[in-house]
Amino acid sequence: MFMDKENLIIEAAVKLFQEKGFASTTISAVAKEAAIGKGTVYGYFKSKEELILRACLYNCDKDGAAIEQFMTTQSFSNPVKRIYNFLDILLSKFLTKGADEHKLFNELSVLVAEDAELKRQAREAISQKLRQWRAMTLADYQLGLDSGHFRYYEEPSFIGEFLVATINGLIWESQWNEEDFLEGQAHRIASAYCQMLLKEPARLAEYLK
């Protein structure tokens, strides 16, 4: 499949950052991995710091696109099943990522503590994604509210904040948990979230059929 030079550079950077770490990866190495000139890399990215931020966002976009494609090609009999499947797929994907895949965001977290401009850029880009995820959560909650499945919350925006914060916390925590614990965690969290929203939590199994 054809890939433009910018994405070639990002994919090469993702590979090397995960394998070698940020400090041990050079722009020259990224250029070599992407089979392009070093000057071409600088034509797209001003610094290695900008490149790791874009690499993190690129991974987020890839995962999000894969999940969105799955959700749009499926039909769900009710909003409960839709939300449950969305969470189960999302968490199954993120919670089983290996240590190398978490390394990008861990390294970015260290870098932004020392670089005010990088922190500003990262905050702006990631805040935008968090707002998008909260909006998606609210849209799904509204579907369940309209169908009569979900209970009414006076401040529905808190639901989006709660879910996004929970998912982010679980992703960070996943690098410390044993694999057998992570294996069933997506199901447990998706079930707990749906039961929290349902007017009749005991009917969850029925809605998921």
Side-chain angles (χ1 to χ4, degrees):
M1 182 179 68
F2 174 78
M3 185 178 296
D4 62 36
K5 288 183 179 178
E6 183 174 8
N7 285 338
L8 277 174
I9 295 167
I10 294 172
E11 290 219 335
V14 168
K15 181 176 183 292
L16 293 177
F17 287 148
Q18 289 178 347
E19 290 178 354
K20 299 182 177 182
F22 178 81
S24 299
T25 298
T26 65
I27 292 293
S28 295
V30 172
K32 183 177 180 181
E33 180 69 29
I36 58 175
K38 182 178 176 180
T40 304
V41 177
Y42 280 114
Y44 287 94
F45 303 98
K46 296 178 182 178
S47 66
K48 196 167 65 164
E49 288 76 13
E50 181 183 350
L51 186 51
I52 194 171
L53 172 58
R54 289 291 304 279
C56 288
L57 298 174
Y58 181 76
N59 272 1
C60 284
D61 289 340
K62 278 181 66 177
D63 290 335
I67 292 166
E68 184 177 358
Q69 181 179 19
F70 176 85
M71 294 298 291
T72 55
T73 57
Q74 304 296 308
S75 59
F76 302 101
S77 55
N78 59 68
V80 182
K81 194 169 184 178
R82 173 182 171 81
I83 289 181
Y84 174 86
N85 277 271
F86 170 73
L87 280 177
D88 192 39
I89 295 163
L90 177 73
L91 291 171
S92 293
K93 189 173 185 67
F94 286 130
L95 298 182
T96 56
K97 284 181 178 289
D100 286 345
E101 293 180 84
H102 287 294
K103 186 183 292 184
L104 278 176
F105 279 95
N106 291 339
E107 298 229 44
L108 179 62
S109 297
V110 173
L111 290 168
V112 297
E114 303 171 352
D115 187 329
E117 175 58 21
L118 181 64
K119 183 176 183 178
R120 184 195 65 77
Q121 293 175 11
R123 176 180 289 165
E124 182 178 317
I126 294 173
S127 292
Q128 181 180 1
K129 291 192 177 299
L130 292 175
R131 287 193 296 270
Q132 291 171 347
W133 295 337
R134 292 184 192 118
M136 287 172 57
T137 300
L138 285 177
D140 283 339
Y141 166 70
Q142 189 63 51
L143 288 174
L145 196 63
D146 293 343
S147 69
H149 289 88
F150 293 161
R151 66 182 70 188
Y152 172 77
Y153 284 89
E154 188 172 347
E155 294 288 348
S157 62
F158 292 170
I159 295 172
E161 291 181 27
F162 170 79
L163 183 59
V164 171
T166 299
I167 291 173
N168 286 332
L170 288 169
I171 292 170
W172 179 86
E173 178 190 279
S174 66
Q175 62 191 307
W176 314 112
N177 284 322
E178 299 292 338
E179 288 186 10
D180 57 347
F181 179 81
L182 293 174
E183 189 174 335
Q185 193 173 32
H187 168 73
R188 294 193 299 272
I189 296 300
S191 296
Y193 180 71
C194 288
Q195 287 177 323
M196 181 185 76
L197 295 181
L198 282 169
K199 287 182 178 178
E200 301 177 84
R203 298 183 64 184
L204 177 61
E206 173 189 335
Y207 294 140
L208 297 182
K209 291 180 180 177

